[in-house]
Amino acid sequence: YRVLAMRATYQLNTEKLEYNYRVLVERDHENQSTISQQRRKIARQRESLLSLKSRYGESDKRFQDENVKLTEEYRRVTEQFKDLQAKYRHFELADIRKFQEVWAMNEETVAGKVRRVLSADRVLHEQQMGLLWHAPSDDVFKPPEQLALDIAKKKREAAKAAAKAAAKQAEALEA
């Protein structure tokens, strides 16, 4: 009976071992399959990483080149702008000078014509109408800027005179 029990135990252990061996073999196949899949995945990831590094390098180089190009263009445009400003100042001064020359020339012409008109006015007053003629002040021949300066000067002088007069009156009242 013991022998049968031992054989039964032996048979059971053998079947368990064979089952466990088949399970282990099956797991080994699954693990090998998983390892193979993971290796392929790692390979794809490496290829993707290399591709991204390559694209990054190309983009970085392209952007650096573009940055250099834009910097040079900025410098060029800045220089052109400075040159344009210098030309503008030059032509502005030339235009002002030319305007002043033309103005002075026309002012002389107009002054000559005004003198002729005043002479004709004098002749009309004295010879035709028999009236005494009074010449206008020389302010007629002054430029507007000079007239404005003269008026301002007269106002300042009048204000000083009024202040002196007020001070004299105050002294007289105190005394």
Side-chain angles (χ1 to χ4, degrees):
Y1 173 76
R2 263 179 132 201
V3 174
L4 284 177
M6 289 285 272
R7 270 191 194 168
T9 303
Y10 174 77
Q11 183 68 29
L12 182 64
N13 285 340
T14 302
E15 286 178 9
K16 281 182 182 180
L17 285 173
E18 285 178 8
Y19 174 76
N20 286 339
Y21 178 74
R22 282 193 304 263
V23 168
L24 287 175
V25 167
E26 186 64 31
R27 281 188 185 169
D28 187 47
H29 287 301
E30 288 175 10
N31 288 342
Q32 289 300 325
S33 174
T34 303
I35 288 171
S36 176
Q37 285 177 350
Q38 293 298 324
R39 283 184 182 154
R40 285 192 300 271
K41 185 176 180 181
I42 288 172
R44 281 194 313 271
Q45 295 289 332
R46 281 189 181 143
E47 287 176 20
S48 177
L49 178 62
L50 289 174
S51 171
L52 290 173
K53 281 183 178 181
S54 173
R55 283 180 29 207
Y56 171 77
E58 291 169 2
S59 295
D60 190 46
K61 181 171 178 11
R62 188 175 66 245
F63 290 139
Q64 285 178 355
D65 291 344
E66 186 175 351
N67 189 12
V68 167
K69 182 181 123 194
L70 290 174
T71 302
E72 288 300 319
E73 185 176 346
Y74 172 76
R75 285 187 187 127
R76 183 181 55 77
V77 168
T78 302
E79 286 300 316
Q80 286 177 343
F81 179 71
K82 287 178 183 177
D83 291 344
L84 187 63
Q85 282 182 323
K87 288 176 183 175
Y88 174 78
R89 275 187 241 110
H90 168 75
F91 285 114
E92 183 179 33
L93 293 174
D95 287 349
I96 289 171
R97 188 180 70 249
K98 184 63 83 177
F99 175 79
Q100 289 171 345
E101 289 171 0
V102 170
W103 182 271
M105 182 182 70
N106 287 334
E107 202 170 37
E108 291 171 12
T109 304
V110 167
K113 290 182 180 186
V114 167
R115 283 188 185 92
R116 284 182 59 204
V117 167
L118 288 175
S119 176
D121 187 48
R122 183 183 54 80
V123 168
L124 286 173
H125 269 76
E126 292 175 353
Q127 293 179 6
Q128 298 296 324
M129 295 191 288
L131 299 173
L132 182 61
W133 183 75
H134 299 286
S137 70
D138 286 337
D139 291 345
V140 172
F141 299 103
K142 288 183 180 178
E145 301 86 19
Q146 187 62 42
L147 285 175
L149 290 173
D150 290 349
I151 290 171
K153 184 177 178 182
K154 286 178 185 176
K155 285 183 180 179
R156 282 194 304 273
E157 289 173 357
K160 284 181 185 178
K164 283 183 183 178
K168 283 184 182 180
Q169 282 181 350
E171 286 178 12
L173 289 176
E174 288 178 5

